[in-house]
Amino acid sequence: MAEPQAGDGPRSDTRGIVDARELFARVRFRRREAAPPLRPYLEHYWLIDWDLAEPYASHVVPHPCVNVVFQRYGDEAPWGEVAGVGRELFTKKLEGRGRVCGVQFRPGGFRPFAPQWPVSQWTGRRVPVDDVLTDADADAVVAPDEEDARVAALDAFLLGLRPAADPQAERATALVERVRRDRTIRRVGQLAALEDVSARTLQRLFAAYVGVGPKWVVLRYRVHEALERAEAEGRPGSEPDWATLAAELGYSDQAHLVRDFTATVGVPPTAYRAQQR
């Protein structure tokens, strides 16, 4: 895999997190970088701890990424799972005390750790980590109170898997990153033309290494952008220009943006913005 660009570091945006301000007010949420040899494959580690007097439901619009998640709830024994790309809004009820230590892989970055399966094998599924990866020790990851010790345990686990270099995985990662950064890419045909390949070739590559098709990735990043804009501009006295945003994101009209946003997040964008007030 190619080295990530200098200064990338963990993302600081809130893309995909529904009502991020409410979540951050209730839990301790951090992102941490992985060891340098792992960074071409991983976006970051994400760590959450909570101690709640009342239950709280968190909601996330998933990225086109596989996650490996180690978790402990109350006095239960810790456990881990591989979470494939989620097609639907992910909701998790948090209550009492708990801790989660997650690994968010880059799109395309998980396949080198489990090369025997296409990443589409895990799409929409959450399976025990031992069914996919070897030598996972959930207790070693979740138990330490020191955050650095948890990060070190994740590093040790993933480095021990010795991911195999795969040029196709690198290519898939680069293609998804291009879609994420370039708002002018609005159709699969555009991306195929830019890469001088057929749309069918892109679809096969994405199924094998990302887990979802290129069209799905384009649409999901549109919704992420709209969601973040709704949060950022959801201050009293302000109102996002939804028609302009729809045009910027490549929708034919505002109604199409509203439809995709509502289907993914559960409420129309204007209702969601009102909730932020």
Side-chain angles (χ1 to χ4, degrees):
M1 299 285 284
E3 289 295 326
Q5 296 179 0
D8 277 354
R11 295 197 333 268
S12 59
D13 62 76
T14 61
R15 291 192 176 190
I17 302 175
V18 177
D19 202 350
R21 284 172 288 187
E22 181 71 10
L23 174 67
F24 296 162
R26 293 175 178 268
V27 308
R28 286 192 66 223
F29 178 92
R30 295 89 69 208
R31 294 187 177 114
R32 294 286 301 269
E33 278 194 303
L38 295 169
R39 291 175 193 171
Y41 305 98
L42 272 60
E43 289 276 5
H44 51 251
Y45 299 139
W46 49 276
L47 311 176
I48 302 178
D49 297 89
W50 65 89
D51 188 352
L52 298 171
E54 298 180 353
Y56 167 71
S58 65
H59 308 279
V60 176
V61 178
H63 290 255
C65 305
V66 174
N67 284 260
V68 171
V69 187
F70 297 98
Q71 46 211 314
R72 183 183 69 200
Y73 299 93
D75 295 327
E76 296 179 3
W79 54 285
E81 64 182 358
V82 172
V85 179
R87 293 184 177 275
E88 309 295 336
L89 182 71
F90 175 73
T91 298
K92 184 67 177 181
K93 183 180 179 181
L94 307 178
E95 55 187 335
R97 298 179 62 187
R99 173 176 295 168
V100 174
C101 302
V103 182
Q104 183 172 317
F105 289 82
R106 297 181 187 274
F110 182 72
R111 179 70 183 270
F113 291 83
Q116 61 271 48
W117 296 290
V119 178
S120 57
Q121 172 83 6
W122 319 117
T123 299
R125 300 175 60 201
R126 305 178 73 88
V127 300
V129 66
D130 292 332
D131 290 356
V132 186
L133 304 173
T134 60
D135 300 322
D137 185 345
D139 191 64
V141 173
V142 175
D145 288 328
E146 298 80 11
E147 185 175 310
D148 288 348
R150 286 178 249 165
V151 171
L154 289 169
D155 282 342
F157 165 55
L158 294 170
L159 288 169
L161 295 174
R162 300 183 182 278
D166 185 338
Q168 289 294 86
E170 181 178 348
R171 186 183 188 194
T173 298
L175 285 170
V176 176
E177 182 65 11
R178 185 170 191 173
V179 172
R180 186 178 74 86
R181 292 181 180 273
D182 188 350
R183 290 185 187 174
T184 67
I185 298 175
R186 300 168 178 173
R187 297 182 302 277
V188 176
Q190 281 181 281
L191 183 61
L194 290 169
E195 294 296 316
D196 195 25
V197 297
S198 69
R200 181 58 184 156
T201 295
L202 281 184
Q203 289 164 353
R204 287 196 298 265
L205 177 69
F206 274 58
Y209 287 90
V210 182
V212 287
K215 180 179 180 180
W216 189 94
V217 172
V218 171
L219 292 174
R220 179 50 52 91
Y221 280 143
R222 285 177 174 180
V223 173
H224 277 178
E225 175 74 12
L227 182 61
E228 188 171 49
R229 289 278 288 272
E231 292 240 3
E233 300 177 20
R235 298 178 297 274
S238 68
E239 181 68 37
D241 186 337
W242 297 110
T244 298
L245 179 58
E248 290 177 358
L249 296 178
Y251 285 96
S252 58
D253 54 38
Q254 181 177 337
H256 283 82
L257 168 60
V258 171
R259 181 190 63 196
D260 281 357
F261 190 102
T262 305
T264 305
V265 179
V267 295
T270 51
Y272 180 79
R273 196 213 69 91
Q275 292 173 4
Q276 307 314 300
R277 289 185 287 193

